[in-house]
């Protein structure tokens, strides 16, 4: 009698399988439903094994390996699950490196599986042989090379455990071709721990009490929160804590959407192009409470002038981040969902109304000098800010916004409104142009019932524009909002402000994006007139299927506020 798939996956029995089939069976056991990848010679046995598991695992053929890994990132960031991608050896594997580095600095859980030449050819410069383990070591949380079929299950089990435990990150498993062909008795056991690896530090209760004492005594507290809140699924615990203690809270780009945009205690975005109030008042607070963030240089500005007057409390899961950039007075190591839950009963109820009003007062200054002109201009060229304001009108803060990198990224982060967590997906630490389009594809596949809007510039769009082919083949519904200023806008802004407007190699001569979209079977429209903007965005969002809306915006508009390089965050410029 023919065995059913369910019987084949019974963990209480062993089955003789090839290494390549073992790879697929391991993925099934880990609950993987989607893989992003690109086949090639050294990974071909795994692709052959996938042929028999099409009902269990869906493979998405991207048009480039970089597209595959960015799509896996988007999937992981929207769904909260591990993203998985496949690539062959040599150039296939090296094409993953940018995405791996991006995932490492942005703490995105990925499992990357690459094929490798036969083990007897390792080190011989064989065709399409590259030391991907050596290349990827600095940008992975863990990696390994498997040369024997029977070692595949343990390697993949460990990969999934390491990728998603503690502070998440990318892992890479490189499997030689002979290991893929080899046969062994298959058994799979999920990894629960790794010797010498501490995923979650034990929370020190004394440190919690010290933190609570500082917070309770504060007259001008400020919370700065990052993606750690989202990764720990601690949104509710975080909100409860700040509401009880009345703590004004500002977010990093990666922390965007962890707290609803319209929450009374949400005082805006930190950083180089963040909001005026939280940047200025960072250097006036008396207690700075960092939650799940790493004090990136774009947030702190000049460290010699950063919050020197404040006591610093840092809630963080990764010991390496403590005192790395900013010295702390109290460090609470641990998963912030747990640490915030334990902190809550130690906090006194408070509101800090007068201090909070300082944020509102400075918010009004930014509103009058920057925000109104950017989001509601009465004349002149279209602005990116008014486009995002119209998007908010039609999404009501319920869409997932995926951005590329540049001026449009800063504008989208500043003005997009969110009511739900995991709604802003962007390349934060590495700043990878070309991230948006494939990441939006992955985000939609991770959360198919959510509206996904890819906000991209004309520069970044053309770095991975071939992924329109992935949309064409899969019919995934992604709304692409192309903000076209015919420049590499952020570089041009710096040339404008700091290089005497010497626009060297930043002006773009672009193709007809409408014709390109038509070639991929994607509906599209280009607009230049303000009076057409609202209806065009409405049409894009309501359209059944993918859609490209190209909006021609001002060529030389700059993003403000801005903290110039080397300056204090309180030196933020409004013009």
């Amino acid at each position: 009698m023919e065995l059913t798939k369910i019987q084949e996956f019974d963990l209480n029995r062993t089955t003789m399988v090839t290494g390549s089939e073992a790879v697929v069976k391991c993925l099934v056991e880990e609950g993987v439903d989607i893989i992003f990848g690109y086949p090639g010679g050294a990974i071909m046995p795994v692709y052959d094994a996938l042929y028999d598991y099409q009902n269990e695992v869906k493979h998405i053929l991207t048009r480039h390996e970089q597209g595959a890994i960015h799509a896996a990132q988007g999937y992981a960031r929207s769904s909260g699950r591990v993203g998985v991608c496949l690539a062959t050896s040599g150039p296939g594997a090296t094409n993953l490196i940018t995405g791996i580095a991006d995932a490492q600095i942005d703490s995105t859980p990925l499992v990357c599986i690459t094929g490798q030449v036969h083990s007897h050819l390792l080190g011989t410069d064989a065709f399409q042989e590259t030391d991907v383990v050596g290349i990827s070591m600095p940008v992975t949380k863990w990696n390994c090379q498997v040369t024997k079929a029977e070692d595949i299950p343990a390697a993949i089990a460990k990969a999934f455990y390491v990728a998603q435990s503690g502070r998440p990150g990318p892992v890479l498993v490189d499997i030689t071709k002979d290991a893929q062909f080899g046969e062994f008795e298959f058994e799979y056991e999920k990894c629960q721990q790794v010797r010498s690896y501490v995923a979650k530090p034990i929370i020190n209760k004394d440190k919690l009490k010290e933190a609570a004492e500082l917070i309770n005594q504060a007259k001008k507290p400020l919370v700065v929160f990052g993606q750690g809140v989202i990764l720990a699924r601690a949104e509710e615990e975080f909100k409860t804590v700040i509401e009880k203690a009345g703590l004004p809270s500002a977010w990093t780009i990666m922390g965007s959407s962890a707290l609803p945009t319209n929450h009374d205690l949400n005082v805006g975005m930190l950083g180089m192009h963040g909001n005026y109030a939280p940047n200025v008042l960072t250097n006036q607070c008396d207690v700075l409470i960092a939650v799940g963030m790493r004090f990136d240089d774009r947030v702190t500005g000049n460290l010699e002038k950063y919050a020197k007057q404040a006591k610093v409390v840092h809630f963080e899961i990764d010991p390496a981040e403590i005192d790395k950039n900013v010295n702390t007075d109290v460090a609470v190591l641990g998963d912030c969902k747990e640490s915030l839950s334990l902190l809550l009963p130690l906090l006194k109820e408070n509101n800090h109304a007068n201090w909070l009003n300082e944020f509102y007062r400075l918010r009004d200054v930014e509103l009058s000098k920057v925000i109104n002109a950017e989001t509601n201009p009465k004349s002149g060229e279209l602005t990116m800010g008014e486009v995002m304001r119209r998007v908010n009108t039609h999404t009501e803060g319920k869409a997932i916004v995926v951005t590329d990198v540049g001026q449009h990224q800063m504008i989208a982060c500043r003005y997009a409104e969110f009511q739900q967590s995991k709604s802003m997906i962007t390349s934060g630490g590495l700043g990878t142009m070309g991230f948006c389009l494939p990441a939006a594809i992955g985000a939609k596949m991770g959360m198919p019932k959510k509206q996904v809007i890819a906000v991209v510039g004309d520069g970044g769009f053309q770095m991975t524009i071939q992924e329109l082919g992935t949309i064409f083949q899969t019919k995934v519904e992604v709304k692409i909002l192309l903000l076209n200023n015919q420049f590499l806008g952020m570089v041009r802004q710096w040339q404008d402000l700091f290089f005497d407007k010497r626009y060297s190699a930043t002006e773009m001569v672009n193709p007809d994006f409408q014709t390109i979209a038509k070639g991929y079977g994607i509906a599209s429209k280009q607009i230049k007139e303000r009076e057409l903007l609202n209806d065009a965005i409405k049409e894009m969002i309501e359209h059944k299927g993918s859609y490209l809306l190209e909006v021609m915006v001002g060529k030389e508009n700059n993003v403000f506020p801005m903290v110039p390089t080397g300056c204090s965050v309180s030196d933020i410029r409004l013009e």
Side-chain angles (χ1 to χ4, degrees), residues 499-543:
F499 292 88
D500 299 321
K501 294 190 176 184
R502 291 161 59 88
Y503 294 161
S504 176
T506 48
E507 188 165 9
M508 302 284 287
V509 177
N510 290 318
D512 183 339
F513 291 115
Q514 310 306 302
T515 299
I516 292 172
K518 182 179 179 180
Y520 285 107
I522 297 171
S524 68
K525 176 178 286 187
Q526 182 196 76
I527 65 162
K528 302 177 182 178
E529 300 82 10
R530 181 164 286 112
E531 57 271 19
L532 299 178
L533 179 60
N534 186 66
D535 288 345
I537 290 176
K538 183 175 185 289
E539 179 181 334
M540 174 189 74
I541 289 175
E542 293 181 351
H543 180 79

Side-chain angles (χ1 to χ4, degrees), residues 203-212 332 339 342-343 346:
I203 297 171
N204 185 320
K205 301 292 180 64
D206 291 333
K207 293 296 183 183
L208 267 176
K209 291 177 183 177
E210 291 178 36
V332 181
S339 57
L342 294 171
L343 176 70
L346 304 177

Side-chain angles (χ1 to χ4, degrees), residues 35-340:
I35 303 170
F36 303 91
Y38 204 96
I43 197 70
M44 200 175 296
V46 173
Y47 273 88
D48 182 67
L50 268 173
Y51 190 86
D52 295 325
Y53 289 82
Q54 296 177 61
N55 292 331
E56 287 79 22
V57 183
K58 184 177 183 180
H59 179 272
I60 304 300
L61 175 64
T62 58
R63 296 307 184 259
H64 192 284
E65 289 89 356
Q66 185 175 351
I69 194 161
H70 288 329
Q73 286 178 273
Y75 174 91
R77 294 270 292 277
S78 72
S79 69
R81 302 174 65 190
V82 177
V84 179
C85 62
L86 290 178
T88 193
S89 63
T94 57
N95 281 341
L96 297 178
I97 297 299
T98 295
I100 293 173
D102 192 289
Q104 173 78 339
I105 200 166
D106 281 351
S107 303
T108 305
L110 299 181
V111 170
C112 308
I113 298 173
T114 54
Q116 185 55 274
V117 299
H118 285 264
S119 55
H120 73 276
L121 294 174
L122 291 172
T124 68
D125 293 332
F127 177 68
Q128 291 194 333
E129 182 204 355
T130 301
D131 180 11
V132 69
V133 172
I135 291 170
S136 65
M137 188 173 292
V139 292
T140 49
K141 189 176 176 184
W142 175 73
N143 68 9
C144 72
Q145 186 173 79
V146 179
T147 59
K148 296 179 180 179
E150 57 267 28
D151 293 337
I152 288 173
I156 293 180
K158 182 177 178 180
F160 274 89
Y161 175 72
V162 172
Q164 61 192 318
S165 61
R167 180 179 181 175
V171 300
L172 183 142
V173 179
D174 191 47
I175 308 175
T176 61
K177 203 165 184 179
D178 48 320
Q180 295 174 52
F181 281 128
E183 291 189 348
F184 69 106
E185 290 188 348
F186 178 81
E187 288 185 275
Y188 193 74
E189 182 177 349
K190 288 189 177 184
C191 182
Q192 303 296 332
Q193 63 178 13
V194 175
R195 185 178 177 181
S196 77
Y197 166 57
V198 179
K200 290 184 182 181
I202 297 173
I203 297 171
N204 185 320
K205 301 292 180 64
D206 291 333
K207 293 296 183 183
L208 267 176
K209 291 177 183 177
E210 291 178 36
E213 185 175 349
L214 280 177
I215 295 169
N216 288 334
Q217 293 175 352
K219 303 299 182 185
K220 296 181 177 181
L222 174 61
V223 173
V224 293
F225 65 94
Q227 189 188 200
V229 175
I230 297 171
L231 294 174
R233 295 174 170 84
E235 295 90 345
E236 285 303 314
E237 290 81 1
F238 176 77
K239 185 160 74 76
T240 303
V241 162
I242 66 170
E243 287 174 348
K244 180 177 182 180
L247 304 173
S249 300
W251 40 275
T252 69
I253 285 176
M254 297 300 292
S256 175
S257 82
L259 185 68
T261 311
N262 61 358
H263 194 283
D264 289 343
L265 293 171
N266 188 333
V267 295
M269 183 173 88
L270 296 157
M272 179 172 284
H273 291 287
N275 293 112
Y276 188 55
N279 276 298
V280 169
L281 295 179
T282 293
N283 282 351
Q284 294 182 31
C285 69
D286 59 359
V287 177
L288 187 70
I289 306 133
V291 183
M293 56 87 70
R294 59 188 180 85
F295 290 111
D296 174 76
D297 63 290
R298 288 295 173 104
V299 166
T300 65
N302 188 336
L303 283 169
E304 297 300 319
K305 301 176 181 179
Y306 182 77
K308 292 301 180 183
Q309 79 295 336
K311 296 287 186 180
V312 178
V313 179
H314 197 172
F315 291 86
E316 174 61 46
I317 198 169
D318 186 354
E321 295 297 346
I322 301 298
D323 297 330
K324 186 176 80 173
N325 296 323
V326 173
N327 290 329
T328 59
D329 293 278
V330 179
V332 181
L333 280 170
D335 181 279
C336 71
K337 187 178 183 72
E338 299 172 7
S339 57
L340 291 175

Side-chain angles (χ1 to χ4, degrees), residues 25 28 52 115 207 328 371 380 435 448 482 485 549 567:
K25 289 171 74 69
V28 171
D52 295 325
K207 293 296 183 183
T328 59
I371 296 174
F435 172 86
L482 171 58
N485 59 8
L549 175 60
C567 291

Side-chain angles (χ1 to χ4, degrees), residues 17-36:
V17 301
T18 63
S20 57
E21 186 177 4
V23 171
V24 182
K25 289 171 74 69
C26 291
L27 297 178
V28 171
E29 295 293 348
E30 289 290 345
V32 174
D33 57 350
I34 294 179
I35 303 170
F36 303 91

